[in-house]
Amino acid sequence: MPCCLAAPHALLRTLLHSSARAPDAASPVNLELVTLTEDLAVITWHTGVESEGEVVYGTHPARLNRTASEGRDTAHHHVELTDLEPGQTYYYQARSRGTAATPTPLHLVKGNAVGTSLYGFGSHGGPYSFTTPQPPPGRHLLSIALCNDLHLGETTAGLVTGVPMMRGISQRLGLGPYPEVMGRALVEEAHRRGAGQLLAAGDISAGGAPGDLAEARRLLDGFGVHGRDYFVVRGNHDRRGRHGPQGWRGDTFLDAFPAHGGPGDGPAYFARDLGGLRILGLDTYEKRGNGAGSGGLSDEQLAWFRADVRAHKDQPTVVFGHHPLTVRNSPFPVTSGQRLNRRQARTILDAYAAAPGVFLHHAGHTHRNKRTVLPQARHVTLQEVGAVKEYPGGFCLLRIHTGGYALNYYKASSGPAREWSERSRRVAAGLWPQYALGRSVRDRNSVVVRDLSGITPTVTRRPALRGAA
């Protein structure tokens, strides 16, 4: 959980109202337009009991003449609308047992969970509306899964000590540990969506324990080869090994995910070239501490970063690290621990301003979907991605074309992942979606036009999917 709440009276009343609602209501609720590409929309909702689900849709609100359904009864509905036309406005209504689903409320933020316009708001169940974007121009080159916050070893989601309404949510008895459920689902979904590489931006473990990091390594090895197919950086929960009679010594994170040479050797930050695309991985907790406080880079790492960006300033570059450079538009109080050290963040933005090749900075830590563009470096998208381990529970797919790129968020769609995602939306007494989902469809789905024709994708042979049992 990235932040603490000092709730004012109005927020406390909202918390109490939200927590009083029955979580297993039979009526269709929590409707969300999760993913929106030029030809695909993914729509989810919940019924509390198993039932059929369908989405009726069309290009006119009075003619919803197309239908998509799941083909089986479930309480956790996940319907994909395929073969959509780019740049077209569609109207849709999700239904179960003949009753229209109602949207996830975003009353703490000025947001929209179900469409790209306000069409249908004020009604009970829509129809709602979205307009598909144009695809990134040019030929598709490669797709990369961006993820973070797996928290292997964690047993309670959303736990914040000292805040009575933030007691956390645990997995149902008899079911597998939710970080492992969601980690397996991440690998399966990333494969299914066509990701060739995967970047995991920290908090791989709940506290840096060797066993938890080893389990994370096993799960991620199901995607491919570490250092070739997937890359990992440290988060504050992956802090250096504890010392003492009951602790462990050394850098347990680097033992599991060596960035250079053998286990524990060298720094945890690195640069790699993927067929003309430069990947920079930052260790944003290269400091002493217990995991609290703002993120920090060592002076050595910051100097390395500035020199590398300057030397490759025109090369297409993606940077990823755990702590975001800035945290904006949060409905919950923002603390320094939610971001990178301010001075270092300004230094990084100054480096971006002089490096036109950098186009994306991916971060985790906040456990939310948020797209930010700052005036200091308007050519760089700062993308925070929701946590793997809890609601909304997924990853962002970066699709790179010769003339631009798209970012699209996908929830993990396996049955156990859907069930845990719905259960964990009750974090913060049910207010978690107001923070984690994203204020708008654009916070989790966007397209940018720019010249990326210098990238030549490399072809690697990945092993068959492993660790999914």
Side-chain angles (χ1 to χ4, degrees), residues 290-361:
N290 62 358
S294 61
L297 281 62
S298 67
D299 292 340
E300 180 183 6
Q301 181 182 180
L302 194 59
W304 165 86
F305 171 81
R306 295 175 66 187
D308 194 280
V309 170
R310 185 167 55 247
H312 302 88
K313 63 185 179 67
D314 296 315
Q315 183 175 354
T317 300
V318 172
V319 181
F320 75 116
H322 186 61
H323 293 76
L325 303 183
T326 184
V327 178
R328 294 191 168 194
N329 305 120
S330 172
F332 296 156
V334 175
T335 66
S336 64
Q338 289 180 266
R339 57 178 171 250
L340 193 67
N341 171 282
R342 284 184 182 274
R343 177 184 60 81
Q344 294 184 341
R346 283 194 296 268
T347 298
I348 289 173
L349 285 169
D350 287 344
Y352 289 166
V358 180
F359 64 91
L360 177 66
H361 184 117

Side-chain angles (χ1 to χ4, degrees), residues 67 97 140 160 171 197 210 216 251 276 343 358 380 387 400 450:
T67 302
R97 296 185 178 178
H140 176 257
V160 178
Q171 177 66 290
Q197 284 80 30
D251 194 328
R343 177 184 60 81
V358 180
V380 182
I400 299 177
R450 64 173 293 157

Side-chain angles (χ1 to χ4, degrees), residues 65-203:
N65 53 5
R66 299 172 66 178
T67 302
S69 62
E70 296 166 287
R72 64 184 181 91
D73 287 358
T74 179
H76 311 284
H77 301 275
H78 182 114
V79 173
E80 299 190 11
L81 311 185
T82 59
D83 298 322
L84 303 179
E85 296 180 13
Q88 175 67 56
T89 297
Y90 291 90
Y91 302 85
Y92 76 96
Q93 187 175 67
R95 301 171 179 169
S96 289
R97 296 185 178 178
T99 302
T102 56
T104 290
L106 299 181
H107 51 270
L108 288 186
V109 297
K110 199 171 183 180
N112 184 340
V114 294
T116 58
S117 77
L118 294 177
Y119 189 90
F121 278 73
S123 65
H124 187 79
Y128 303 103
S129 174
F130 61 81
T131 300
T132 52
Q134 294 294 334
R139 178 171 53 92
H140 176 257
L141 297 173
L142 71 160
S143 295
I144 302 173
L146 310 177
C147 67
N148 41 264
D149 296 277
L150 284 74
H151 286 231
L152 267 294
E154 183 178 278
T155 57
T156 305
L159 182 64
V160 178
T161 56
V163 183
M165 299 300 294
M166 300 288 285
R167 289 174 292 185
I169 303 294
S170 298
Q171 177 66 290
R172 287 174 51 200
L173 290 176
L175 299 182
Y178 64 81
E180 296 178 23
V181 167
M182 301 306 288
R184 286 193 294 269
L186 159 71
V187 169
E188 294 168 9
E189 195 78 13
H191 270 292
R192 188 165 78 87
R193 299 296 179 180
Q197 284 80 30
L198 180 146
L199 308 182
D203 277 8

